[in-house]
Amino acid sequence: MAEKYYNFINGEWCEASTGETFENRNPANWDEVIGVFPKSSKEDVDKAVRAAREAYEEWRLVPAPKRGMIIKKVGDLLTERKEEIARLMTREMGKVLAETRGDVQEGIDTAYYAVSEARRLFGHTAPSELPNKMNISFRMPIGVAGIITPWNFPMAIPTWKIFPALVSGNTVVFKPASDTPATATKLVEILLEAGLPPKVINLVHGTGNQVGIPIVEHPDVDLISFTGSSAVGRIINSKAGKDLKRVSLELGGKNGQIVMPDARLDLALDGVLWGAFGTTGQRCTATSRLILHKDIHDKFVDMLAERVSQLRLGDGLKPDTDVGPVINEGAREKIHSYVEIGKKEGATLLIGGEPATDGELARGWFYKPTIFVDVKPGMRIEQEEIFGPVLSVIKVNDFDEAIKVINDTEYGLSSSIYTQDVNLAFRAMRDINAGITYINGPTIGAEAHMPFGGTKHTGNGHREGGWEVYDFYTETKVVYVDFSGRLQRAQIDVDYD
Ligand code: NAD
């Protein structure tokens, strides 16, 4: 019998008000049901928001360092249960065990960083233009945070949002992706075990339309933090905009890696293999474009094809698996449709290009690591996010053309250049239009204590991670203290002569 999971609303584990459920299955073996989850509706969201609103009035007054100590305990519990959660996550969404361990570790890192921020949350003091007067700014919590997350980092991304929201004094209504509800439930269990007052966190499982939209549209939800596709980000932004809500959007990517002729080709090769096929290409920062200088193009493509042909597909729990399945049937169909588009556009399929169905792979959503060469700038496979193990190789004549190609997409999340030339490296840091640039490293590998996010249609200017995310979860309050004992009018009673 599959395990039964619940919502957590108003301090209680409960079923959906609809009484309906949905199943979650292992993408490496769809015969395995991970669990049965409540298929919730607006009614459940309304209850969750009411509880979060009620809890806010007390939670906002708890000293931030005390809130931080609860998150410290969360970090400790995540550390204790890292292996158990990583195994559940691999069964739930397919990525290999080394990566799901890394995903939990990112949650742990985010927790311990949050503990340190809880003792900072700095405001400013500034001199007044008038005598016997002080100017101070404070960081205040905002209210109820609606948090909507994707499935590809089922622990890390919720922690990026929930920990700073809580440490800043907000309460939370959390809707995880319906492909990864079990990992999300573990996180909520741990928050409660660590001592978080129950109504401060509310977990509502279900679909984007039935749960996500009611959260976004609820008048008592003050801010929305969303990570997911640009298409859904646009819908959320327009709905939340009607109510002037604060919204943080972390969206898609079409990340490129440039390799110059002076690069260490062995390093560049390891980098692109990890960047393009780690997490089966399903990272917002995945390398989906490889931009090769003409002088090393042919040699590098040969090296790449040989290594890609050796990648082993399989269940991520098996130690010899390099590449796990994609998340579900729809994702595999989407990936394959892009392969067909690439062929029609005139790109040359070098390797892969079809589902992998041999032996044990037949009962999972596997897709062969795929490389297209002769890809021209502007082709759809070069412009649109495929979110799977498909790499497009583009040949360029020089550095300037490489920069033009890497910048020529609607996205601006991550980027990479391999070169030993310090001048080119610094020009790339300056001229690549992206939130993240790696020098001699792949496009993936963000660290939890640094700001994370992208330019252009990758988001709306906010950042997750590090110190910057705390700006999103707090409102600035400015206080003027006049101890002159008389009315002093700013701009009028100043005397600069
Ligand atoms: P998605 O946009 O389909 O779903 C994300 C979340 O939004 C899920 O919880 C989903 O149920 C919910 N949702 C769907 N439709 C909704 C709607 N109309 N209203 C409200 N909520 C809705 O994305 P996904 O398939 O889960 O994740 C993959 C996408 O996420 C990719 O585009 C990837 O690049 C992006 N991503 C971005 C980052 C980043 O930090 N920039 C990180 C990871 C993933």
Side-chain angles (χ1 to χ4, degrees), residues 19 24-25 44-45 75 107 183 189 195 199 222 240 249 275 301 314 316 322 339 401 410 418 443 476 480:
N24 179 24
R25 286 172 182 263
D44 304 295
V45 170
T183 308
E189 285 170 4
K199 293 179 188 178
D222 302 283
L249 301 171
V301 164
D322 298 309
V339 168
E401 190 183 346
E410 67 164 312
Y418 282 78
T443 59
T476 298
Y480 298 100

Side-chain angles (χ1 to χ4, degrees), residues 149 151-152 175 208 213 226-229 232 250-252 284 385 452:
T149 54
W151 51 266
N152 65 338
K175 190 209 96 60
I213 292 288
F226 170 79
T227 297
S229 58
V232 174
E250 300 295 335
L251 310 174
C284 50
E385 188 181 46
F452 179 93

Side-chain angles (χ1 to χ4, degrees), residues 34-69:
I34 307 296
V36 175
F37 295 83
K39 196 168 174 204
S40 316
S41 69
K42 181 174 179 308
E43 205 179 309
D44 304 295
V45 170
D46 288 347
K47 280 188 207 148
V49 175
R50 221 175 298 132
R53 172 58 56 192
E54 209 182 293
Y56 174 66
E57 288 309 323
E58 281 187 26
W59 182 243
R60 74 185 177 88
L61 299 177
V62 174
K66 190 165 174 194
R67 296 193 294 247
M69 289 313 285

Side-chain angles (χ1 to χ4, degrees), residues 67-138:
R67 296 193 294 247
M69 289 313 285
I70 295 174
I71 303 300
K72 152 91 175 51
K73 184 84 201 297
V74 173
D76 296 345
L77 290 168
L78 283 171
T79 307
E80 258 174 41
R81 301 201 192 141
K82 180 171 166 179
E83 190 61 21
E84 173 205 329
I85 298 170
R87 285 181 174 273
L88 172 67
M89 195 191 300
T90 293
R91 285 171 51 228
E92 181 167 62
M93 55 73 73
K95 65 186 174 186
V96 300
L97 206 44
E99 291 188 45
T100 52
R101 287 181 186 130
D103 194 317
V104 182
Q105 185 60 45
E106 202 162 333
I108 296 165
D109 298 341
T110 302
Y112 293 145
Y113 183 82
V115 183
S116 67
E117 258 324 310
R119 286 186 181 269
R120 290 158 44 93
L121 287 178
F122 293 139
H124 290 92
T125 60
S128 169
E129 62 190 40
L130 291 160
N132 296 319
K133 189 177 169 195
M134 274 183 193
N135 300 351
I136 315 166
S137 77
F138 295 91

Side-chain angles (χ1 to χ4, degrees), residues 148-153 157 160 175-178 206-209 211-213 216 226-230 232-233 235-236 250-253 283-285 385 387 413 452-454 458 464:
I148 303 175
T149 54
W151 51 266
N152 65 338
F153 280 85
I157 292 179
W160 288 0
K175 190 209 96 60
S178 36
T207 65
N209 279 331
V211 178
I213 292 288
V216 173
F226 170 79
T227 297
S229 58
S230 294
V232 174
I235 296 171
I236 288 181
E250 300 295 335
L251 310 174
R283 289 193 184 210
C284 50
T285 52
E385 188 181 46
F387 220 58
L413 183 51
F452 179 93
T458 289
E464 309 249 66

Side-chain angles (χ1 to χ4, degrees), residues 187-200:
L187 174 61
V188 172
E189 285 170 4
I190 285 176
L191 280 159
L192 296 169
E193 199 176 328
L196 190 73
K199 293 179 188 178
V200 168

